[in-house]
Amino acid sequence: MRYSIFSLIRQAASHHQHWPLAWRSPPPKKHYDTVIIGGGGHGLATAYYLAKEHGMTNIAVLEKGWLGGGNTGRNTTIVRSNYHLEPNAHFYEFSLKLWERLSQELNFNVMYSARGVLNLVHSPADLDAAMRRGNAMRLNGIDAKFMSRDEIAAWIPNLDCSPAARFPILGGLLQPRGGTVRHDAVAWGYARAADALGVDIIQQCEVTGIRIDGGAVTGVDTTQGAIATSKIGIAVAGHSGHVAAMAGITLPIESHVLQAMVSEPVKPILDTVVTSGAVHFYVSQSDKGELVMGGDLDFYNSYAQRGNLPIVEHVVAACLALFPSFGRLRLLRTWGGIMDMTMDGSPIIGKLPVAGLYMTGGWCYGGFKATPASGFLHAHTIAHDAPHPLNAAFTLERFAQGRMIDEKGAGPYAWAH
Amino acid sequence: MMLIPCPWCGPRNQIEFTYGGDATVQRPDIDAPDTAWFRYVYLRDNPRGPHDELWLHSAGCRTWFKVRRDTRTHDILASALIDEALPAGAP
């Protein structure tokens, strides 16, 4: 059923009792042309674009838990493309362009809100870096605008822009088209659209092994039985190393926990996304009214999906240094998600050294905003057995070849990116 | 909150420590082939379970030491001085 004002009125007449399910839950078949491991945004988007762009419809998406129950439902919903290096800039800008029309594409309201993403500048060195990145963005056709301290103070009255602030604000780099997207809707929208094109979405189905014969994949073992296939796409960021190990592959990735948290909901108080690299903090307000906040990794390997209190304290302290008036709010909830942290801070979207095996992963902090482009390019790579120009640089081989894409210049320390 | 057992100072709050990564990687010989250096610099086993790792007691005695910690639960299983072996067994 196509969602529209007319379907809404029709269903209202029967008290919303007869909405069809948004996707089927079929039992797995014995064979698929392509199996996607991971039913988060990236896996579902991959399946959707395989079906839509490449006409492949005999596809299964296997999810060990429930759709969007991993990092798709744990991120802070921010989308942006304010990157400096060429491969990242073009990739994330492609993604942002897909976000801008995703609700129409999927016939599902993902609530893209171009409320802007503002990176605060606190020192002359910050200022130089922001100007350099802003100029690089504009040369790459991406919107960037430098804002003075006075402009920011007039726009965001709650932000402490006084010279007496703990970290005085000198200005900020704004990407006006950046903003937020409702994360759960992304999983549901891609799932519904993929299902409508014939993709089988199978939840509660964990992959336990990858079958390889003669250097090529032949199928997967799952908790719901064996499934034969000649192409497998891995989209399980956080656990990419665990799944790749089933095919005997070691990745340049460590898994780390990243925490996020929300305050109790309040009336509209902040209409943009504010970030500060100097104090390791970012905040936006959800449509429900909660202030959504995050900061750094916990800085140790973890698969626990929960972190420890020192980072929560750090994030809250940074919040109050920037927004003293938020001090009376109570923290409602904190949680953690597991990040694939690569050794250069950039993702891996491409072929793996087993025929028919592909991955999109290594997303570090940045997986959510990449979801549409990741799915689109992963699908292209699977369908053509070769990368698209936009993901040609994001290979696994770049680490052995010395072609790192190290946006932060942090070197081969996974947790430093 | 993790209570990390420094071999010199005893159990201390995690905020006194800095993480140093996987303790099992071995630095190759200076004339080893590039592939050996690639594995050393970039590849990690990244286990889901017990993980032998380096920690620095940066706000304490400033000793680098080894910790075996379960990455699924954050439970600390053992610690040892840098030139001592962690107990045999997993991993």
Side-chain angles (χ1 to χ4, degrees), chain A residues 12-309:
Chain A
S14 56
H15 304 283
H16 298 292
Q17 295 300 305
H18 302 292
W19 284 103
L21 290 176
W23 57 84
R24 303 162 295 130
S25 290
K29 293 191 283 189
K30 291 290 171 209
H31 173 268
Y32 288 96
D33 295 338
T34 300
V35 166
I36 305 298
I37 306 174
H42 292 256
L44 293 164
T46 303
Y48 170 71
Y49 290 114
L50 275 172
K52 171 153 184 282
E53 303 289 331
H54 306 286
M56 296 171 65
T57 52
N58 188 27
I59 299 170
V61 176
L62 309 182
E63 166 56 44
K64 73 174 176 181
W66 65 94
L67 295 190
N71 294 334
T72 302
R74 290 166 187 270
N75 59 74
T76 48
T77 78
I78 296 164
V79 298
R80 56 185 175 86
S81 61
N82 53 358
Y83 282 78
H84 179 219
L85 298 179
E86 292 263 337
N88 283 333
H90 296 307
F91 171 81
Y92 286 106
E93 177 61 11
F94 178 65
S95 201
L96 191 56
K97 284 179 173 154
L98 291 175
W99 282 122
E100 287 175 319
R101 48 185 290 275
L102 195 64
S103 294
Q104 289 76 19
E105 166 91 21
L106 300 179
N107 179 228
F108 199 102
N109 188 1
V110 299
M111 299 166 78
Y112 165 60
S113 162
R115 61 184 66 185
V117 172
L118 178 66
N119 305 142
L120 296 175
V121 161
H122 299 272
S123 68
D126 269 1
L127 184 64
D128 289 349
M131 287 294 185
R132 178 167 177 254
R133 184 157 53 89
N135 285 331
M137 287 166 63
R138 293 173 75 132
L139 286 170
N140 279 322
I142 301 168
D143 58 322
K145 178 175 180 245
F146 189 81
M147 296 186 75
S148 69
R149 189 187 73 172
D150 291 346
E151 287 173 312
I152 293 171
W155 179 28
I156 311 172
N158 298 300
L159 185 62
D160 184 359
C161 292
S162 71
R166 174 67 183 84
F167 298 97
I169 292 165
L170 302 187
L173 185 66
L174 174 72
Q175 183 179 23
R177 288 158 60 245
T180 59
V181 173
R182 187 181 175 207
H183 52 3
D184 295 324
V186 176
W188 300 335
Y190 272 121
R192 174 169 164 273
D195 177 87
L197 294 171
V199 172
D200 283 359
I201 296 167
I202 300 156
Q203 301 181 64
Q204 303 290 321
C205 180
E206 181 172 1
V207 170
T208 54
I210 294 175
R211 294 189 179 190
I212 298 170
D213 188 20
V217 298
T218 60
V220 290
D221 294 311
T222 78
T223 49
Q224 294 192 33
I227 299 171
T229 186
S230 58
K231 291 191 172 197
I232 298 173
I234 301 172
V236 297
H239 299 261
S240 294
H242 180 75
V243 175
M246 294 177 190
I249 297 166
T250 305
L251 298 175
I253 285 177
E254 290 182 5
S255 295
H256 285 257
V257 60
L258 178 65
Q259 299 193 72
M261 59 209 76
V262 293
S263 73
E264 59 188 322
V266 290
K267 288 187 175 179
I269 193 170
L270 181 64
D271 64 354
T272 185
V273 180
V274 176
T275 82
S276 168
V279 297
H280 308 285
F281 174 73
Y282 56 93
V283 62
S284 64
Q285 188 172 24
S286 75
D287 292 320
K288 286 188 288 185
E290 305 149 328
L291 291 164
V292 186
M293 296 176 273
D296 268 328
L297 294 174
D298 267 39
F299 298 121
Y300 46 79
N301 288 44
S302 174
Y303 285 95
Q305 287 193 322
R306 60 186 164 75
N308 272 303
L309 287 173

Side-chain angles (χ1 to χ4, degrees), chain A residues 64 206 239 242 250-256 299-304 306 308-310 343 399-400 404 412 415, chain B residues 1-2 13-15 19-22 38 41-49 51 53 55 69 71-74:
Chain A
K64 73 174 176 181
E206 181 172 1
H239 299 261
H242 180 75
T250 305
L251 298 175
I253 285 177
E254 290 182 5
S255 295
H256 285 257
F299 298 121
Y300 46 79
N301 288 44
S302 174
Y303 285 95
R306 60 186 164 75
N308 272 303
L309 287 173
M343 287 293 187
F399 296 92
M404 257 54 74
W415 61 90
Chain B
M1 183 75 80
M2 291 196 293
N13 188 328
Q14 69 177 89
I15 61 173
Y19 186 60
D22 191 327
F38 160 64
V41 174
Y42 295 112
L43 298 189
R44 298 292 178 265
D45 289 336
N46 193 27
R48 198 153 84 179
H51 183 234
E53 55 201 23
W55 286 83
R69 191 179 54 90
T71 59
R72 293 165 302 191
T73 61
H74 302 161

